[in-house]
Amino acid sequence: MRELLRTSRLLRWIRAQPVALPYRILRRITRIRSDRFLFLSDSHVGYTGNMGFVRDELLRRMPEAQVAGVFKPSLTARRPVRDVIRLPWLLATSGTIVVDDFYPIIYPLPIRRGARLVQIWHAAGAFKQVGHSRAGLPGGPVPGSDIHRNYTHVPVSSEAVRADYAEAFGIDLSRVQALGVPRTDAFFDPENVATTRQRVRARLGIRDGERLVLYAPTFRGNGQRSARPEESADWGAIAHELGDGFRIVVRQHPFAAKSAPPLPAHILDGGAEEMNDLLMATDVLVTDYSSSIFEFALLRRPIVLFVPDLDDYAGSRSFYRPFESYAIGPVVRDPGGLASALRTTEVDEPALEAFLDEFCDALDGESTSRIVERMLLASPDRVVVDEGTVAPGSVEPTRARGAMGLRVAAARLARLILSVAYAPLKLLPVQRKVVMVSREHPVVPHDFTDLAAALTTRDPAVRVVMLVRMVPPGILRKIGYGLHLLRQLYHVATARVLVIDTYSIVASVLPHRDELTVIQMWHALGAFKKFGLSILGLEEGRDRRLADAMRMHQGYDIVLTSAEDCRPAFAEAFGTPPDRVRVAPLPRVDRLRDPERRARTRERILATLPHLAGQRIAVFAPTFRLDGTVAVDVRALTEALRMQGVHTVVKLHPLMHGDFGPDVDTGGDFSTQEMLAVADVFITDYSSALYEAAVLEIPTYFLTPDLDAYLASRDFYLDYRRDLPGPIVATVDHLAEAVGRKDASPADARRFAKRWVQIPGDPTPVAGATPCADAIADLIADRLG
């Protein structure tokens, strides 16, 4: 029953409402205070560990900062009423929120634009698996869980563990930076280490010449609520066997301390000591799977790994590396071997150096300074979308997960309700009106505005209504979207033409009048990766049952595509007869080809981003993925191209999020299409933006480290390995070499565009000409009568 309660999304949602509901209201009516820093923990009280180091450095650099803390000693402790009242206000108004452990109340909340949520995880390295690395396992998150996913910044102890933390938190690799761990700075101050060692040993009663052995195991169990201690060793007997010259102190993990049995009289209890201080006082550390090995390794002192349950632990919890990777000292599985190991253990210098290089290469005594400077005080700008649309980390809010039978039933009920609401509206007079509906964009797309201009130029009497709003996450915000749907129903019921650019509920679900023409003007050029009905049931596609319930892509009278060779693919994707598919490229092609518009866009970009002037520029635009990730190391790509004399600008899909640090240029607020005006090279993996680049005859390269996996999960309409206009490479180094050799050419792009984007009449680009928008406007005008 406890597991059922833990995994129930509905119950979690209900428990969060005392904070979440006022937060969602306050974020609409309050402004963010960039000088307000909120520290949160459900694992400890006060500014301890990483939080203490970060807070002190923050106030040193910014004495006027408003620092607030809301703490609980444990997840099971009751939150004081005072904190329940003030927490929503602090969350809504703080420019920076800092956590250092699991903090469940914050995960359902969308982080505001301009704010950041920084996870300064309490441990260094990457040892036992945590978070989404354990999805579906006992004590791990349920698949699709939102825990951890809204962190905007995560510092870690080395470059080698970035991917492990990205996996654990379910976030893009770019949000994880190897800046260090604040609490480790203290280990790089020899004077501090010496004075702390002397102070703690005196407090514990350790005489000069005695070797202090610290036993600091991690907890057993699935988390804070189920934690229990490891009790297989008799430390009293071990102390007796060691004899004079050794003292033993035991420090249980805080989660397991309350349930641990009393210690023998001559064994010291280290529970009251701060862990950093205790490590500095220790001569030999005995632990099992605790991250304390990473901090203690910085002192270059002996470590013994006591792992009596290694096989069971590895099977139920697992590690980020083979256990041998962490064995920088003797591995003891039988308690009887502990005394001997403690007498003889020494530091294995080669093994220690390799260990430090792997797990601690960002630890140098300056971690706190870097983290405060780059994550707390730097500009909060990052790649986001409208805060009213998508929360960071929730990359596709409408993707169905969980109990499909219930979702299908809900979909059929929604169809019935909408049809009932729609029926009386169809009695209203039909107007000479064109309605354009999109849930693909947070703002009105240029394709809509350019088509509307062509329509009204052709016929000033026609009325154009554009209804653009993305489906938001969260139950309350979806209620608001329901009201927006009612507005759509009215306008569609009284229109002659409905134009959509993605799946639309009002287009496909409802029984329309015969006078209404529904036109699917799909938001992407060409026929590249498969979509729509072509991928039902695949990993990146929709569930067939839900698609049937929502009448996915049914009811189209006309489907527009960009070339004759695209017609079969679009007919398949939309389940429509090929004769309903018409060749008419998107209006954006007119913008791309217009020399004056392109020149103005270029001038605007260079005025805003003057550092781009005179550079050879590569625009990197990876495709949108359901998990929100980028498959390559963007910083490594930027550096590799820099060595070729090329400046990289990274443009993510609007539903993706990334903060790549100060060395990666993200082009400000300019779109991918706009950035093509200054691009000399275009790089992608599977983005349909390659067609826009081809129209502009920009040499294009394809960086695809996961091509085989992507082919299996998505596949393409064209032959990926033969039909593309540039080389396909699997690594950043190979890409840089290909760019350096100029393996792609404008002629390759021109040939590709000629096949896949057929301009009506194929005219030479002329300033102000809009042949693509005009062709669609003519087609609509025929339906207006």
Side-chain angles (χ1 to χ4, degrees), residues 113 223 250 370 408 471:
R113 178 192 291 273
V250 174
R370 279 194 299 272
V408 169
V471 180

Side-chain angles (χ1 to χ4, degrees), residues 113 383-386 389-392 394-395 440-443 470 622-624 651-658 671-672 687:
R113 178 192 291 273
V383 183
V384 296
V385 295
D386 186 340
T389 304
V390 179
S394 177
V395 297
E440 177 71 17
H441 304 278
V443 296
M470 298 176 76
T623 193
F624 165 70
K651 296 308 300 183
L652 298 184
H653 187 285
L655 290 181
M656 296 171 69
H657 316 277
S671 68
T672 301
S687 171

Side-chain angles (χ1 to χ4, degrees), residues 131-284:
H132 291 281
S133 300
R134 306 188 64 242
L137 298 176
V142 296
S145 169
D146 59 5
I147 68 167
H148 300 304
R149 293 187 185 274
N150 55 353
Y151 302 147
T152 61
H153 299 72
V154 177
V156 295
S157 61
S158 76
E159 188 68 28
V161 304
R162 288 178 62 224
D164 302 315
Y165 278 79
E167 174 187 284
F169 297 146
I171 60 177
D172 185 83
L173 182 65
S174 62
R175 301 192 212 175
V176 183
Q177 298 181 43
L179 300 182
V181 177
R183 61 192 293 267
T184 65
D185 288 350
F187 293 93
F188 291 88
D189 183 344
E191 183 177 344
N192 173 66
V193 171
T195 56
T196 300
R197 175 182 173 85
Q198 183 178 8
R199 184 181 69 252
V200 174
R201 290 171 71 94
R203 190 158 54 233
L204 293 173
I206 309 299
R207 297 191 301 270
D208 291 344
E210 288 185 317
R211 286 174 66 79
L212 179 61
V213 175
L214 168 63
Y215 177 51
T218 192
F219 64 91
R220 301 305 191 271
N222 293 325
Q224 190 176 144
R225 291 185 173 93
S226 62
R228 63 184 187 280
E230 202 292 312
E231 304 177 65
S232 62
D234 183 346
W235 286 100
I238 294 169
H240 179 75
E241 186 177 352
L242 286 171
D244 292 341
F246 286 87
R247 297 293 301 277
I248 296 176
V249 60
V250 174
R251 189 183 195 277
Q252 293 287 356
H253 190 284
F255 291 178
K258 288 185 179 180
S259 58
L263 295 171
H266 53 295
I267 299 299
L268 301 171
D269 184 353
E273 301 293 338
E274 205 283 326
M275 188 61 178
N276 265 16
D277 296 350
L278 197 53
L279 291 174
M280 293 177 189
T282 295
D283 296 294
V284 183

